[in-house]
Amino acid sequence: RNPRYAFQELERLTRKSGSTLELRQVMAELASRWPKEPALQNEVAYLNLLLGDDPEPERKKAESLVREFPTSLSYRTTLALALWRLRDFADALGVYAGRTDDWSQAPAGQRAVYAAVLAGNGRTAEAREIARALAADQLRQEELELIQPLL
């Protein structure tokens, strides 16, 4: 039997009812068991950034993932969050340059990061519009904190 299914169920339950710290623990365990899964590596980097870990190592991971998977909005958002945490707001916005993503279809957490990046670049009205359209119950506490100044 494949233990991956049990871990995926644990991830689902933790994502639904656990803290970000608990989710990071589960995701880090998954990533250590399946180190070649880029989505798991990205998720751990994203959660580390949400929890305020040193953004530089996470930036390097995210840059590598974006180079390998340039069409992934999720990986780009992790990179943008790392750059935002490093206060490199222009490069954070540049991560999305030349793309035509349908933000209405993106997960709420990704839209929260995008709103924070827009705000960091002085595009406050656009950022506020995105942030105010997000339901707080769709965001992790740390994602909500990213957009709190816009609400």
Side-chain angles (χ1 to χ4, degrees), residues 66 73 76-101 103 110-124 126-127 130:
V66 168
L73 181 59
R76 285 182 176 275
T77 299
T78 299
L79 178 55
L81 180 57
L83 292 165
W84 186 87
R85 289 277 190 215
L86 289 164
R87 305 194 59 72
D88 187 349
F89 301 126
D91 281 351
L93 186 58
V95 165
Y96 300 112
R99 295 181 52 88
T100 56
D101 296 300
W103 284 100
Q110 291 180 18
R111 287 184 279 155
V113 170
Y114 185 55
V117 167
L118 289 172
N121 282 277
R123 293 170 59 180
T124 311
E126 190 179 351
I130 292 168

Side-chain angles (χ1 to χ4, degrees), residues 17-37:
S17 61
S19 70
T20 303
L21 185 59
E22 292 168 324
L23 180 58
R24 178 176 65 179
Q25 291 168 336
V26 170
M27 296 308 294
E29 176 65 25
L30 288 171
S32 72
R33 288 178 181 268
W34 293 283
K36 294 184 181 188
E37 285 290 330

Side-chain angles (χ1 to χ4, degrees), residues 36-142:
K36 294 184 181 188
E37 285 290 330
L40 295 175
Q41 301 304 319
N42 181 69
E43 186 70 13
V44 172
Y46 180 78
L47 295 169
N48 285 343
L49 289 163
L50 283 182
L51 290 166
D53 285 9
D54 180 5
E56 188 56 33
E58 309 313 329
R59 179 192 62 79
K60 289 177 182 174
K61 285 180 204 166
E63 281 180 341
S64 175
L65 288 169
V66 168
R67 267 194 306 278
E68 192 172 348
F69 303 97
T71 61
S72 172
L73 181 59
S74 179
Y75 302 167
R76 285 182 176 275
T77 299
T78 299
L79 178 55
L81 180 57
L83 292 165
W84 186 87
R85 289 277 190 215
L86 289 164
R87 305 194 59 72
D88 187 349
F89 301 126
D91 281 351
L93 186 58
V95 165
Y96 300 112
R99 295 181 52 88
T100 56
D101 296 300
D102 181 358
W103 284 100
S104 68
Q105 299 302 308
Q110 291 180 18
R111 287 184 279 155
V113 170
Y114 185 55
V117 167
L118 289 172
N121 282 277
R123 293 170 59 180
T124 311
E126 190 179 351
R128 187 169 282 125
E129 183 179 335
I130 292 168
R132 289 183 175 166
L134 295 171
D137 65 352
Q138 293 180 340
L139 298 169
R140 303 209 73 74
Q141 180 60 39
E142 296 80 1

